[in-house]
Amino acid sequence: MLDLVAYFFGGAFLTNAIPHVVAGMMGEPFQSPFAKPRGEGLSSSTVNILWGFFNLLVGYLLVCRVGDFGLRTTSHVAALGLGGLLMGLFAARHFGRFHGGNEPTRS
């Protein structure tokens, strides 16, 4: 049971890594926990690369070093996917406020 909790949070961390690594690699500033105000202000592309790779590390540790994660085990993949989905939905709503994603303009 605790393995599934680790896989859930592993999915969340792995999903959270994506926008930070992508923004950092593009040289773009993006929100991070280190900005002022926290989670709303922009952090440098370097900070986002570091934060993104930290998220990858934590995700790896939670998925690959806790229990025996199996890609063919439905409960493992479901926990990972649910964590990723919920983190993605949270990020879409939270960062959509700053980037226009919550209320896109119509052409």
Side-chain angles (χ1 to χ4, degrees):
M1 180 63 179
L2 288 178
D3 293 356
L4 296 178
V5 173
Y7 303 153
F8 174 86
F9 283 104
F13 275 96
L14 291 172
T15 300
N16 191 49
I18 295 168
H20 295 287
V21 170
V22 169
M25 289 178 67
M26 292 176 54
E28 302 273 335
F30 190 69
Q31 286 81 10
S32 85
F34 308 105
K36 302 261 192 282
R38 185 178 183 146
E40 295 182 15
L42 297 175
S43 290
S44 72
S45 55
T46 302
V47 167
N48 274 287
I49 285 287
L50 294 171
W51 181 240
F53 272 83
F54 174 78
N55 276 265
L56 285 172
L57 173 65
V58 172
Y60 163 77
L61 292 173
L62 289 170
V63 174
C64 297
R65 307 298 279 174
V66 174
D68 189 23
F69 182 82
L71 280 175
R72 294 178 181 247
T73 306
T74 303
S75 60
H76 294 179
V77 174
L80 179 84
L82 184 60
L85 174 65
L86 292 179
M87 175 56 80
L89 289 172
F90 167 77
R93 296 298 302 164
H94 178 74
F95 297 119
R97 297 182 309 164
F98 308 112
H99 302 281
N102 292 344
E103 298 178 19
T105 58
R106 296 191 186 265
S107 307

